[in-house]
Amino acid sequence: GRFAVVVLINGMNAAGKGETVNLLNEWMDPRHVDTRAFGMPTREEAERPPLWRFWRVLPPRGRIAILFGNWYTAPMAARVLKLDKKADLDQRLEEINRFEAMLAREGVLLVKLWFHLTRKAQRRRLKALEADPRTRWRVTAEDWEAYESYDRLRTVAGHALRFTSTGEAPWLIVDGSDERYRALTVGRTLLSALSRRLEVARKSWQPRRNGAPLAPPSYDGRSLVNALVLRQPLEEKEYERELARQQGRLALLTRHAGFARRSLIAVFEGMDAAGKGGAIRRITAALDARQYHIVPVAAPTEEERAQPYLWRFWRHL
């Protein structure tokens, strides 16, 4: 119960990814395993940051999540299909590296498996599945289209795996041509990773948290807070007039057609009784109630404490 496990299943078409997911579910207690397969984003998911739908299914401590069609699928597919440039792919991969580093520091055990096949082995496997009446349904036109893109996918995958195989979250390449070898490799890898982490956990292991770099020392003793001019006198009539004007501007801007393509998060922090609640009420007074949602942040619940720290904020985006 001290850590969560996330198993990422990726790889070439017909390399045995689905069969391996089924085997993992057979081997492990289903009460502790969640298997998630992701297809095209729903409309709700497409309106949010790309990682949002994965954040929502991150397992709490004491559970294992197997993610099939995970956060690597869309960036790599977009590059294979030439919808994105290499720079776009690299930017997405850099975001993934930061995301995985954060998960690792929060105590999540990441196991990343790439199932590989040669072009010849992939064709042979597709033909064999297609020839057997019991498995013919598993081969679709999309599978043969993916086969035609084999060389490009191999190039993109090679780049992506090198870019994202880090000390905190390395990739394991699995030969998908032999189902017995494939199954043993994955089973032993997962067993070894769990055993090592459990052994360390027994020694009172704590997640490694890298703090932000220290700010440079202040030579004049001035800081943002102690240099603020806190008394800003304003006549009541002038205040009411200016408040109405700014609320009108805000109302018009949030009803502008261009705002439908954007999202806005306002974060309020500060001392007790400093006016955070009053400021929020003056803002919401100018808004359509259907446009906003106020999320009060208090001490984390038991459910939230079992998840990575940012989980309880991501779910409200």
Short mmCIF file of all heavy atoms in Angstrom, two decimals, residues 59-97:
data_model
loop_
_atom_site.label_atom_id
_atom_site.label_comp_id
_atom_site.label_asym_id
_atom_site.label_seq_id
_atom_site.Cartn_x
_atom_site.Cartn_y
_atom_site.Cartn_z
N PRO A 59 -3.66 4.99 -10.75
CA PRO A 59 -4.06 4.14 -9.61
C PRO A 59 -3.60 4.74 -8.29
O PRO A 59 -2.55 5.38 -8.21
CB PRO A 59 -3.32 2.83 -9.90
CG PRO A 59 -2.09 3.26 -10.63
CD PRO A 59 -2.50 4.43 -11.49
N PRO A 60 -4.38 4.52 -7.23
CA PRO A 60 -3.91 4.91 -5.90
C PRO A 60 -2.86 3.93 -5.40
O PRO A 60 -2.62 2.89 -6.03
CB PRO A 60 -5.19 4.83 -5.05
CG PRO A 60 -6.01 3.79 -5.73
CD PRO A 60 -5.72 3.92 -7.19
N ARG A 61 -2.24 4.25 -4.29
CA ARG A 61 -1.24 3.34 -3.72
C ARG A 61 -1.89 2.00 -3.41
O ARG A 61 -3.01 1.92 -2.94
CB ARG A 61 -0.66 3.94 -2.44
CG ARG A 61 0.13 5.23 -2.69
CD ARG A 61 0.81 5.70 -1.42
NE ARG A 61 1.46 6.98 -1.64
CZ ARG A 61 0.93 8.15 -1.33
NH1 ARG A 61 -0.28 8.21 -0.78
NH2 ARG A 61 1.58 9.27 -1.56
N GLY A 62 -1.15 0.94 -3.69
CA GLY A 62 -1.66 -0.40 -3.44
C GLY A 62 -2.36 -1.02 -4.62
O GLY A 62 -2.88 -2.14 -4.51
N ARG A 63 -2.39 -0.33 -5.78
CA ARG A 63 -3.07 -0.87 -6.96
C ARG A 63 -2.14 -0.80 -8.17
O ARG A 63 -1.18 -0.03 -8.20
CB ARG A 63 -4.37 -0.12 -7.24
CG ARG A 63 -5.43 -0.36 -6.18
CD ARG A 63 -6.79 0.15 -6.64
NE ARG A 63 -7.30 -0.60 -7.78
CZ ARG A 63 -7.97 -1.74 -7.68
NH1 ARG A 63 -8.20 -2.27 -6.49
NH2 ARG A 63 -8.41 -2.36 -8.75
N ILE A 64 -2.49 -1.59 -9.19
CA ILE A 64 -1.75 -1.65 -10.45
C ILE A 64 -2.67 -1.22 -11.58
O ILE A 64 -3.81 -1.67 -11.65
CB ILE A 64 -1.23 -3.08 -10.71
CG1 ILE A 64 -0.28 -3.53 -9.61
CG2 ILE A 64 -0.54 -3.17 -12.08
CD1 ILE A 64 0.12 -5.00 -9.70
N ALA A 65 -2.18 -0.36 -12.45
CA ALA A 65 -2.94 0.03 -13.64
C ALA A 65 -2.16 -0.41 -14.87
O ALA A 65 -0.96 -0.14 -14.99
CB ALA A 65 -3.17 1.53 -13.67
N ILE A 66 -2.84 -1.10 -15.78
CA ILE A 66 -2.25 -1.48 -17.06
C ILE A 66 -2.90 -0.57 -18.11
O ILE A 66 -4.12 -0.62 -18.31
CB ILE A 66 -2.52 -2.95 -17.39
CG1 ILE A 66 -1.93 -3.85 -16.30
CG2 ILE A 66 -1.93 -3.32 -18.75
CD1 ILE A 66 -2.32 -5.31 -16.44
N LEU A 67 -2.09 0.27 -18.75
CA LEU A 67 -2.61 1.26 -19.70
C LEU A 67 -2.22 0.85 -21.11
O LEU A 67 -1.04 0.83 -21.47
CB LEU A 67 -2.08 2.66 -19.37
CG LEU A 67 -2.33 3.16 -17.95
CD1 LEU A 67 -1.89 4.60 -17.81
CD2 LEU A 67 -3.81 3.02 -17.56
N PHE A 68 -3.23 0.54 -21.90
CA PHE A 68 -3.07 0.07 -23.28
C PHE A 68 -3.56 1.18 -24.20
O PHE A 68 -4.72 1.57 -24.14
CB PHE A 68 -3.89 -1.21 -23.44
CG PHE A 68 -3.65 -1.96 -24.71
CD1 PHE A 68 -2.39 -2.03 -25.27
CD2 PHE A 68 -4.69 -2.62 -25.34
CE1 PHE A 68 -2.16 -2.75 -26.43
CE2 PHE A 68 -4.47 -3.34 -26.51
CZ PHE A 68 -3.21 -3.40 -27.05
N GLY A 69 -2.68 1.71 -25.04
CA GLY A 69 -3.06 2.90 -25.81
C GLY A 69 -2.94 4.11 -24.92
O GLY A 69 -3.91 4.82 -24.67
N ASN A 70 -1.73 4.38 -24.41
CA ASN A 70 -1.52 5.37 -23.35
C ASN A 70 -1.01 6.69 -23.91
O ASN A 70 -1.25 7.01 -25.08
CB ASN A 70 -0.57 4.78 -22.31
CG ASN A 70 0.60 4.07 -22.98
OD1 ASN A 70 1.43 4.69 -23.62
ND2 ASN A 70 0.63 2.74 -22.88
N TRP A 71 -0.29 7.46 -23.08
CA TRP A 71 0.10 8.82 -23.48
C TRP A 71 1.16 8.86 -24.56
O TRP A 71 1.48 9.93 -25.08
CB TRP A 71 0.55 9.63 -22.27
CG TRP A 71 1.52 8.98 -21.33
CD1 TRP A 71 2.86 8.82 -21.50
CD2 TRP A 71 1.21 8.41 -20.05
NE1 TRP A 71 3.41 8.19 -20.42
CE2 TRP A 71 2.43 7.93 -19.49
CE3 TRP A 71 0.04 8.26 -19.31
CZ2 TRP A 71 2.50 7.32 -18.24
CZ3 TRP A 71 0.11 7.66 -18.07
CH2 TRP A 71 1.33 7.20 -17.55
N TYR A 72 1.71 7.71 -24.98
CA TYR A 72 2.65 7.70 -26.11
C TYR A 72 1.94 7.53 -27.45
O TYR A 72 2.48 7.89 -28.49
CB TYR A 72 3.66 6.56 -25.94
CG TYR A 72 4.70 6.85 -24.90
CD1 TYR A 72 4.56 6.38 -23.60
CD2 TYR A 72 5.82 7.61 -25.21
CE1 TYR A 72 5.52 6.65 -22.63
CE2 TYR A 72 6.79 7.89 -24.25
CZ TYR A 72 6.62 7.41 -22.97
OH TYR A 72 7.55 7.70 -22.02
N THR A 73 0.75 6.98 -27.44
CA THR A 73 0.11 6.57 -28.69
C THR A 73 -0.18 7.74 -29.62
O THR A 73 0.20 7.74 -30.80
CB THR A 73 -1.19 5.80 -28.38
OG1 THR A 73 -0.89 4.71 -27.51
CG2 THR A 73 -1.82 5.28 -29.66
N ALA A 74 -0.88 8.75 -29.12
CA ALA A 74 -1.30 9.87 -29.98
C ALA A 74 -0.12 10.67 -30.54
O ALA A 74 -0.10 10.96 -31.75
CB ALA A 74 -2.26 10.78 -29.21
N PRO A 75 0.88 11.05 -29.73
CA PRO A 75 2.01 11.81 -30.31
C PRO A 75 2.75 11.04 -31.40
O PRO A 75 3.11 11.61 -32.44
CB PRO A 75 2.91 12.07 -29.10
CG PRO A 75 2.05 11.94 -27.91
CD PRO A 75 1.03 10.91 -28.26
N MET A 76 2.95 9.72 -31.19
CA MET A 76 3.68 8.93 -32.18
C MET A 76 2.83 8.72 -33.43
O MET A 76 3.35 8.81 -34.55
CB MET A 76 4.08 7.59 -31.57
CG MET A 76 5.13 7.73 -30.49
SD MET A 76 5.51 6.20 -29.62
CE MET A 76 6.15 5.22 -30.96
N ALA A 77 1.53 8.48 -33.25
CA ALA A 77 0.66 8.30 -34.41
C ALA A 77 0.59 9.57 -35.25
O ALA A 77 0.60 9.52 -36.49
CB ALA A 77 -0.74 7.88 -33.96
N ALA A 78 0.53 10.73 -34.59
CA ALA A 78 0.46 11.99 -35.33
C ALA A 78 1.72 12.22 -36.16
O ALA A 78 1.67 12.75 -37.27
CB ALA A 78 0.25 13.15 -34.35
N ARG A 79 2.86 11.78 -35.64
CA ARG A 79 4.11 11.93 -36.40
C ARG A 79 4.18 10.93 -37.54
O ARG A 79 4.62 11.26 -38.65
CB ARG A 79 5.30 11.75 -35.44
CG ARG A 79 6.65 11.87 -36.11
CD ARG A 79 6.84 13.22 -36.78
NE ARG A 79 8.12 13.30 -37.47
CZ ARG A 79 8.35 14.06 -38.54
NH1 ARG A 79 7.39 14.82 -39.02
NH2 ARG A 79 9.54 14.07 -39.10
N VAL A 80 3.74 9.68 -37.30
CA VAL A 80 3.74 8.66 -38.35
C VAL A 80 2.85 9.08 -39.51
O VAL A 80 3.19 8.90 -40.68
CB VAL A 80 3.29 7.30 -37.78
CG1 VAL A 80 3.06 6.29 -38.90
CG2 VAL A 80 4.34 6.76 -36.81
N LEU A 81 1.70 9.67 -39.19
CA LEU A 81 0.75 10.10 -40.21
C LEU A 81 1.11 11.47 -40.80
O LEU A 81 0.34 12.01 -41.60
CB LEU A 81 -0.66 10.14 -39.62
CG LEU A 81 -1.22 8.79 -39.15
CD1 LEU A 81 -2.55 8.98 -38.44
CD2 LEU A 81 -1.36 7.83 -40.32
N LYS A 82 2.23 12.05 -40.36
CA LYS A 82 2.72 13.35 -40.84
C LYS A 82 1.77 14.49 -40.51
O LYS A 82 1.73 15.51 -41.21
CB LYS A 82 2.99 13.30 -42.35
CG LYS A 82 4.00 12.24 -42.75
CD LYS A 82 4.28 12.27 -44.24
CE LYS A 82 5.30 11.21 -44.62
NZ LYS A 82 5.61 11.21 -46.06
N LEU A 83 1.01 14.32 -39.42
CA LEU A 83 0.14 15.41 -38.96
C LEU A 83 0.94 16.40 -38.11
O LEU A 83 0.54 17.57 -37.98
CB LEU A 83 -1.02 14.84 -38.15
CG LEU A 83 -1.94 13.85 -38.88
CD1 LEU A 83 -2.98 13.30 -37.92
CD2 LEU A 83 -2.61 14.53 -40.07
N ASP A 84 2.03 15.93 -37.51
CA ASP A 84 2.89 16.78 -36.69
C ASP A 84 4.31 16.76 -37.24
O ASP A 84 4.72 15.78 -37.88
CB ASP A 84 2.92 16.28 -35.24
CG ASP A 84 1.68 16.69 -34.46
OD1 ASP A 84 0.89 17.50 -34.98
OD2 ASP A 84 1.51 16.16 -33.34
N LYS A 85 5.04 17.83 -36.96
CA LYS A 85 6.46 17.87 -37.31
C LYS A 85 7.28 17.23 -36.19
O LYS A 85 6.78 16.98 -35.10
CB LYS A 85 6.89 19.32 -37.51
CG LYS A 85 6.18 20.01 -38.67
CD LYS A 85 6.64 21.45 -38.81
CE LYS A 85 5.94 22.13 -39.98
NZ LYS A 85 6.33 23.55 -40.13
N LYS A 86 8.55 16.98 -36.48
CA LYS A 86 9.41 16.37 -35.48
C LYS A 86 9.50 17.24 -34.23
O LYS A 86 9.54 16.74 -33.10
CB LYS A 86 10.80 16.14 -36.06
CG LYS A 86 11.76 15.43 -35.10
CD LYS A 86 13.06 15.12 -35.79
CE LYS A 86 14.03 14.42 -34.83
NZ LYS A 86 14.47 15.32 -33.76
N ALA A 87 9.52 18.57 -34.42
CA ALA A 87 9.59 19.47 -33.27
C ALA A 87 8.34 19.33 -32.39
O ALA A 87 8.43 19.42 -31.16
CB ALA A 87 9.74 20.91 -33.73
N ASP A 88 7.17 19.11 -33.01
CA ASP A 88 5.94 18.91 -32.24
C ASP A 88 6.03 17.63 -31.42
O ASP A 88 5.65 17.59 -30.24
CB ASP A 88 4.73 18.84 -33.17
CG ASP A 88 4.54 20.10 -33.98
OD1 ASP A 88 4.71 21.19 -33.41
OD2 ASP A 88 4.21 20.00 -35.18
N LEU A 89 6.55 16.57 -32.05
CA LEU A 89 6.72 15.30 -31.33
C LEU A 89 7.67 15.48 -30.15
O LEU A 89 7.40 15.01 -29.04
CB LEU A 89 7.24 14.22 -32.27
CG LEU A 89 7.62 12.88 -31.62
CD1 LEU A 89 6.40 12.22 -30.99
CD2 LEU A 89 8.27 11.95 -32.64
N ASP A 90 8.79 16.15 -30.38
CA ASP A 90 9.77 16.33 -29.31
C ASP A 90 9.18 17.13 -28.15
O ASP A 90 9.48 16.85 -26.98
CB ASP A 90 11.02 17.04 -29.85
CG ASP A 90 11.86 16.13 -30.73
OD1 ASP A 90 11.58 14.91 -30.75
OD2 ASP A 90 12.78 16.63 -31.39
N GLN A 91 8.36 18.11 -28.47
CA GLN A 91 7.73 18.89 -27.40
C GLN A 91 6.81 18.02 -26.57
O GLN A 91 6.81 18.08 -25.33
CB GLN A 91 6.95 20.07 -27.99
CG GLN A 91 6.32 20.96 -26.93
CD GLN A 91 5.64 22.18 -27.53
OE1 GLN A 91 5.75 22.43 -28.73
NE2 GLN A 91 4.94 22.93 -26.72
N ARG A 92 6.02 17.17 -27.23
CA ARG A 92 5.12 16.27 -26.50
C ARG A 92 5.92 15.27 -25.67
O ARG A 92 5.55 14.94 -24.54
CB ARG A 92 4.21 15.52 -27.48
CG ARG A 92 3.21 16.40 -28.22
CD ARG A 92 2.08 16.86 -27.31
NE ARG A 92 1.31 15.75 -26.80
CZ ARG A 92 0.31 15.16 -27.46
NH1 ARG A 92 -0.02 15.57 -28.68
NH2 ARG A 92 -0.37 14.17 -26.90
N LEU A 93 7.02 14.76 -26.23
CA LEU A 93 7.84 13.80 -25.50
C LEU A 93 8.49 14.44 -24.28
O LEU A 93 8.65 13.80 -23.23
CB LEU A 93 8.91 13.19 -26.41
CG LEU A 93 8.39 12.34 -27.58
CD1 LEU A 93 9.55 11.85 -28.43
CD2 LEU A 93 7.56 11.15 -27.07
N GLU A 94 8.89 15.70 -24.41
CA GLU A 94 9.47 16.41 -23.27
C GLU A 94 8.43 16.59 -22.16
O GLU A 94 8.73 16.44 -20.97
CB GLU A 94 10.00 17.78 -23.72
CG GLU A 94 10.70 18.57 -22.63
CD GLU A 94 11.90 17.83 -22.05
OE1 GLU A 94 12.67 17.25 -22.83
OE2 GLU A 94 12.05 17.84 -20.82
N GLU A 95 7.18 16.87 -22.54
CA GLU A 95 6.10 16.96 -21.56
C GLU A 95 5.89 15.61 -20.86
O GLU A 95 5.67 15.55 -19.64
CB GLU A 95 4.81 17.40 -22.24
CG GLU A 95 4.83 18.83 -22.74
CD GLU A 95 3.64 19.15 -23.64
OE1 GLU A 95 2.81 18.24 -23.87
OE2 GLU A 95 3.55 20.30 -24.10
N ILE A 96 5.98 14.53 -21.64
CA ILE A 96 5.84 13.18 -21.07
C ILE A 96 6.97 12.89 -20.10
O ILE A 96 6.75 12.32 -19.01
CB ILE A 96 5.78 12.13 -22.19
CG1 ILE A 96 4.43 12.22 -22.92
CG2 ILE A 96 6.02 10.73 -21.64
CD1 ILE A 96 4.35 11.35 -24.16
N ASN A 97 8.20 13.28 -20.44
CA ASN A 97 9.33 13.06 -19.54
C ASN A 97 9.11 13.77 -18.20
O ASN A 97 9.38 13.21 -17.13
CB ASN A 97 10.63 13.55 -20.18
CG ASN A 97 11.25 12.52 -21.10
OD1 ASN A 97 10.91 11.34 -21.06
ND2 ASN A 97 12.17 12.96 -21.94
#
